[in-house]
Each structure stands twice: as structure tokens, then as C-alpha cells.
Amino acid sequence: MAEDRARPGELDQTKYDADDSVKIICLGDSAVGKSKLMERFLMDGFRPQQLSTYALTLYKHMATVDGKTVLVDFWDTAGQERFQSMHASYYHKAHACIMVFDVQRKVTYKNLHTWYTELREFRPEIPCIVVANKIDADIKVTQKSFNFARKFSLPLYFVSAADGTNVVKLFNDAIRLAVSYKQNSQDFMDEVLQELENFDLEQKAAGDPAPDREQRGAVEGPAPS
Amino acid sequence: MTCTAKKCGIRFRPPAIILIYENEMKGKNRQRIMPVRNFSKFSDCNRAAEQLKNNPRHKSYLEQVSLRQLERLFSFLRGYLSGQSLAETMEQIRRETTIDPEEDLNKLDDKELAKRKSIMDELFEKNQKKKDDPNFVYDIEVEFPQDEQLQSCGWDTESADEF
Ligand SMILES: Nc1nc2c(ncn2[C@@H]2O[C@H](COP(=O)(O)OP(=O)(O)O)[C@@H](O)[C@H]2O)c(=O)[nH]1
Ligand SMILES: [Mg+2]
């Protein structure tokens, strides 16, 4: 968990601390349509930045929320999803998550569980939207209930990157959620946790195992109001 | 030249792609026979389709025939040359051109994944509303209420505490 902070030069994430900047991550299995959704939202305006060493694509976007300009970085995976796990730095400082499955493939729905579990290990509080993509292929799915979203009280969006249904709404809502999450920030809590981790590390004698995620979870208290 | 493609098929012996089309003189069907040369059971159907489509002599006639259809026709020829029955070839084509919904695509390497994506692209492109379409709308919002009466998607029911 600490290693992503040890490489500031390569992938500087301190900018996400600035008031006008948010980070939104995409999760989901291979070929569910994450990249197509990004492209549909950004249209010609998209300027993807490939970071191949991280198997990562960054899309930069400028949005206006309540009259204020917000710089949005969308993080999209570029192959790493095949391991059904992302590097810690992918989650680091994220303010919202867009989690996609393919309505034509059950495995991608089932795997939401794995994605969600990992997301919550790193970012217990950030808003997360569940996205049922490719509804153009089978519009009847929009008449069905999907318990995953209900079980975790997550909003569910039916979208199509192909015909565009609800894509713009999805991304604009995600940006709003990210901004409002940031304003009522849990980031403060995360910083405190990091301090605690460092403290913990310093306390331990060399050779002791580093604190694992369980321990991190254990020091988590209720969020400050 | 204005040429409206009507039908496109393949002849096995001697191998040729055959196009039925209509030219300026509406109502009169014509036939164009495009011989297939240097094609064996080891040939690459995609390459062969591309070559034919770009062949300077046939190009203008094949504008309306998709690369995928040509590729499929070459697959029939290849099946024939390898001694497969028509049914076997059709099954093979079906496998190569459809997505197995049970397959875990996370397990594939880049090349295989790209193949699956290109199969998916067929429907994607068919349903795609492009920016230059006259009736293109950037922000399309449709509400699909998730109320209690809905029927389950059928993917939740395997065990009681699973979603
Ligand atoms: N029919 C349909 N196909 C889609 C849609 N979105 C993506 N696809 C197809 O799914 C394939 C994988 O999409 P991609 O964005 O590369 O998935 P990613 O691996 O999650 O980034 C694409 O090649 C498209 O053909 C959609 O909304 N409708
Ligand atoms: Mg992608």
C-alpha cells in the first residue's frame, strides 16, 4: 500500500489533492466496454494518455459543476483487468468509481463481486456506480432486476456505448458524485490512516511484517462529520 | 459506376467469388465471376478477403460487400478444400464469429481477446449511432426504473446469500 507513494515522479497523484481536481476510476472485466464508454462520453475531445508501464490509460476532461471548473482524470485499465485485480496506485486517491459489466455475459456480472471487494479494501467510502453496458444488444434486460446493486445500495445505470443511451448522464453523475465526495472529504481520514500506517511501520522493528490490509481496516473508525 | 450488389456467393470448382449486381440499367441483374487464385486449405481467409476487396479490377463492384461476408465465403472454400462437410464448416464459422457467453475473456491473451472484440464490433457497429449521423444526439437519457416488481435477471439465484 505504501509503494505507490514511493514513486512520485512517474505518476504524480498529489494533484488530486487540489480542490479543482478529481480522479475517477473504471473497473470491470475485459471487453465489457469500459474504453468504448469513455470514448462515447468524450467523443472527439478525448486525449488518452497511455501509460503502458502501468497498463493504464488516462483520459483528461474538463467539466463544470455548479459553475466551477473541475479537472477530471478518468483512469481506465489497459489489460491489467485480466488479473481481476489492480495495483494499489490505481485506487489511490480515487474519488469515484464506475464499475461495468456486460449484460450479455454473466461472468462479468458475477465478477463484480471481486472488483467491489477490492475497491472497498482500498477505498471504503467512495461513491460507486454499477453500469450494465450493451443494452442495445438486448433491451429486455432493462426490465430485469440485478441484485448486486441492490444488495450494496449502489446506483445501477443501464447504458449502451454503441447507441449512447445514458452514457453522458452516467459520466456527468459520476463527476458530480466525485466532486461532492471530495467536498465532504473522507480524504482527511485516509491521510490520517496513512500517518497511522507510517507510525506503525516506524514502531515496528526491522524484519517484522508490514501491516496488512486487515490491520488498516481495523484502525478505521467512523468518518468525521 | 453505380453498382448495387444483390447477392454474393462462392463457387468451389473452379473456385470463384460470384457477385449478382444491378448496374445503371435498373431491373437487369448481372453476374460477375471473380476467380480465386492461389488459395489453399492453409490460406488466411481474412487476407484473401482483403486482397479481393482491394483488387483494382473488382474493387468498385465489391464496395457494398463487407469484408466479413467475403471472409466468410473464403471460410466455406477453405472448409471444402480441407474435406469438411458443409455442416462442419458452418459450425466452425459459427464458433469463430460468435461470442461464447460463458467464456471468461479475462483468461485470454491479447491476440485472442482482440479476436473476440472484433466479433463484438460487428454488433457494436451495427447499433452504433455515429456523430455524423444526421439524427445523432449526444446526451440520450432513458429511465429504466428498478422497482420491486421486476423479474430477476436470473444471474442472482444460485445461492441464497449470493447476489
Ligand atoms: N453491442 C455493443 N457492443 C459494445 C458496447 N460497448 C462495447 N462493445 C463491444 O465490446 C468490445 C469491447 O469493448 P472495450 O471498450 O474494448 O472493452 P474494455 O476491455 O472493457 O475496455 C468492443 O470491441 C465493442 O465491440 C455496446 O454498448 N454495445
Ligand atoms: Mg479497455
Side-chain angles (χ1 to χ4, degrees), chain A residues 133-162:
Chain A
N133 186 34
K134 310 196 187 181
I135 59 165
D136 61 280
D138 179 11
I139 193 72
K140 290 199 294 290
V141 298
T142 59
Q143 312 277 316
K144 303 253 165 84
S145 71
F146 289 83
N147 272 346
F148 177 82
R150 201 172 290 173
K151 181 174 166 188
F152 296 100
S153 308
L154 302 172
L156 172 67
Y157 284 52
F158 286 105
V159 312
S160 163

Side-chain angles (χ1 to χ4, degrees), chain B residues 10-162:
Chain B
I10 187 144
R11 184 180 72 193
F12 292 157
R13 258 185 327 169
I17 299 279
I18 297 178
L19 176 76
I20 312 283
Y21 67 97
E22 200 174 70
N23 60 8
E24 293 92 339
M25 289 166 64
K26 287 259 178 310
K28 190 165 183 328
N29 280 350
R30 300 183 55 102
Q31 183 175 319
R32 186 174 180 82
I33 299 176
M34 295 163 268
V36 175
R37 298 196 177 88
N38 306 320
F39 187 89
S40 78
K41 64 178 173 184
F42 304 113
S43 296
D44 180 331
C45 296
N46 181 271
R47 273 260 298 282
E50 260 169 21
Q51 274 167 8
L52 185 69
K53 208 164 157 58
N54 294 324
N55 182 312
R57 286 180 32 239
H58 306 309
K59 216 172 155 163
S60 58
Y61 293 88
L62 291 173
E63 252 165 39
Q64 296 174 334
V65 184
S66 73
L67 200 62
R68 283 200 186 88
Q69 184 177 355
L70 290 176
E71 193 179 333
R72 227 161 278 189
L73 292 175
F74 279 107
S75 301
F76 276 110
L77 179 60
R78 194 181 55 186
Y80 168 79
L81 293 172
S82 9
Q84 285 177 350
S85 72
L86 203 57
E88 281 168 339
T89 305
M90 278 170 71
E91 170 56 23
Q92 189 187 350
I93 292 176
R94 195 198 55 77
R95 244 184 295 117
E96 286 170 0
T97 55
T98 52
I99 296 292
D100 171 3
E102 305 292 319
E103 186 180 36
D104 185 347
L105 303 187
N106 291 332
K107 304 238 153 70
L108 303 180
D109 60 28
D110 282 344
K111 192 162 162 255
E112 286 300 310
L113 182 62
K115 264 194 212 163
R116 301 304 185 282
K117 285 192 179 186
S118 85
I119 297 171
M120 292 177 172
D121 280 345
E122 195 167 355
L123 184 67
F124 181 83
E125 281 157 23
K126 188 169 148 252
N127 291 345
Q128 190 177 18
K129 295 260 189 330
K130 290 214 191 74
K131 198 191 76 211
D132 31 344
D133 287 349
N135 51 359
F136 176 82
V137 181
Y138 174 60
D139 184 1
I140 310 163
E141 294 187 15
V142 185
E143 264 188 63
F144 302 106
Q146 279 275 299
D147 45 41
E148 297 298 323
Q149 299 92 295
L150 291 181
Q151 202 193 340
S152 158
C153 63
W155 291 348
D156 290 312
T157 45
E158 266 147 51
S159 88
D161 61 9
E162 233 185 324

Side-chain angles (χ1 to χ4, degrees), chain A residues 2 5 9 34 39 47 54 96 98 100-101 104 122 138 142 149 177 186 191 194-195 204 209:
Chain A
R5 277 177 282 142
K34 301 179 295 295
E39 287 165 22
R47 292 171 294 165
Y54 297 92
I98 292 172
V100 189
F101 73 98
Q104 300 215 283
F122 291 104
D138 179 11
T142 59
L177 286 170
Q186 310 295 325
E191 296 305 324
Q194 282 178 5
E195 292 311 313
K204 289 199 181 187

